[in-house]
Amino acid sequence: MTDLSAFPITRRWPAQHPDRLQLYSLPTPNGVKVSIMLEEIGLPYEPHMIDIGQNETWTPEFLSLNPNGKIPAIIDPDGPDGKPIGLFESGAILVYLAEKTGKFLPKDPAQRYETLAWVFFQMAAIGPMFGQVGFFHKFAGREYEDKRPRDRYVAESKRLLGVLENRLADRDWIMGEAYTIADIATLGWVRNLVGFYDAGDLVDYASLKHVPAWLERGLARPAVQRGLEIPRRP
């Protein structure tokens, strides 16, 4: 049996199946990137729900795996050279799983780097900007009388959607015919912006054509549908 005792996080969230990849997450736009990816590639894994509302990411056990205190994070008992490895940062995990399985990341070097550029576009731009719209429109920031911060992030989110709209004008997926980790990284954030954040009107989502069609295609994938609900909330 695989021994994961070197990872303190397993003391708080014990592995029932230590030979499987361990996922520590919550179905947020960042969290579902990894659960969708795991469902798509078919690797056996064991999900552990991390309750960010109860500040569980700031416990010593979780911080031992991700010093930044954010979900998602993983332990792969069968890492490089067959040794267990712990990873955090959703983009890094997507790249790791893609390279481990040879799926959803092109093998052609030019295509590979272009895919990674779009993954980093999500990480550096779409995630942070859409998240700020959520804060200022849906959460505590909505009570602020000064709407200039909200309007700044709304304007930038509209611009980013325009970038994505232009990219998808002549292709089904961000990289063309092939569905990749660039799509997996981005789907949950667009879905959250117009769904949970209820910001569709703010960012003029109805004026877009290609982004909504791409989102519909992505959400129709069975693995995406499953991944959006993992780990299941109590």
Side-chain angles (χ1 to χ4, degrees):
M1 180 178 290
T2 305
D3 182 9
L4 299 181
S5 61
F7 297 90
I9 194 170
T10 62
R11 293 199 286 269
R12 186 179 180 103
W13 291 279
Q16 301 302 312
H17 304 280
D19 56 324
R20 300 179 186 177
L21 188 146
Q22 304 294 306
L23 170 65
Y24 306 90
S25 191
L26 192 72
T28 67
N30 278 332
V32 299
K33 297 177 199 175
V34 178
S35 53
I36 288 171
M37 181 65 170
L38 287 167
E39 288 294 317
E40 291 279 14
I41 61 180
L43 280 181
Y45 71 99
E46 181 178 348
H48 303 271
M49 197 200 82
I50 309 301
D51 191 342
I52 60 178
Q54 297 297 317
N55 293 322
E56 289 186 340
T57 57
W58 302 112
T59 60
E61 294 87 355
F62 190 87
L63 291 170
S64 70
L65 184 57
N66 182 359
N68 193 36
K70 303 292 183 182
I71 58 98
I74 67 167
I75 298 172
D76 183 0
D78 183 25
D81 299 322
K83 299 177 182 178
I85 184 175
L87 286 175
F88 62 95
E89 283 296 330
S90 57
I93 296 170
L94 288 179
V95 174
Y96 171 76
L97 293 173
E99 293 186 338
K100 177 183 176 74
T101 60
K103 296 180 179 180
F104 305 116
L105 183 61
K107 293 179 174 59
D108 173 77
Q111 290 281 299
R112 179 180 184 275
Y113 284 116
E114 188 176 358
T115 303
L116 293 177
W118 284 99
V119 172
F120 296 153
F121 169 73
Q122 183 282 307
M123 301 291 295
I126 282 182
M129 294 300 104
F130 287 13
Q132 292 291 348
V133 171
F135 175 78
F136 285 102
H137 179 61
K138 174 84 173 184
F139 300 110
R142 74 181 186 277
E143 305 298 336
Y144 298 177
E145 291 185 14
D146 187 349
K147 298 304 178 186
R148 287 175 295 179
R150 184 203 69 176
D151 293 345
R152 176 183 186 277
Y153 293 118
V154 166
E156 180 63 1
S157 294
K158 288 176 69 173
R159 187 190 72 79
L160 295 171
L161 284 170
V163 172
L164 197 56
E165 178 79 355
N166 289 337
R167 177 68 178 180
L168 292 165
D170 58 353
R171 60 192 74 209
D172 284 344
W173 305 107
I174 290 174
M175 286 302 297
E177 294 182 2
Y179 170 83
T180 68
I181 57 173
D183 301 288
I184 293 172
T186 310
L187 282 166
W189 274 107
V190 176
R191 172 182 178 262
N192 223 56
L193 180 70
V194 300
F196 184 62
Y197 292 163
D198 196 26
D201 289 343
L202 275 180
V203 298
D204 201 16
Y205 188 75
S207 70
L208 304 174
K209 175 183 178 182
H210 306 297
V211 172
W214 162 84
L215 180 62
E216 185 176 349
R217 281 191 292 275
L219 295 179
R221 295 178 68 93
V224 173
Q225 294 172 18
R226 295 191 301 270
L228 288 170
E229 303 297 327
I230 296 171
R232 290 196 177 277
R233 298 174 186 265

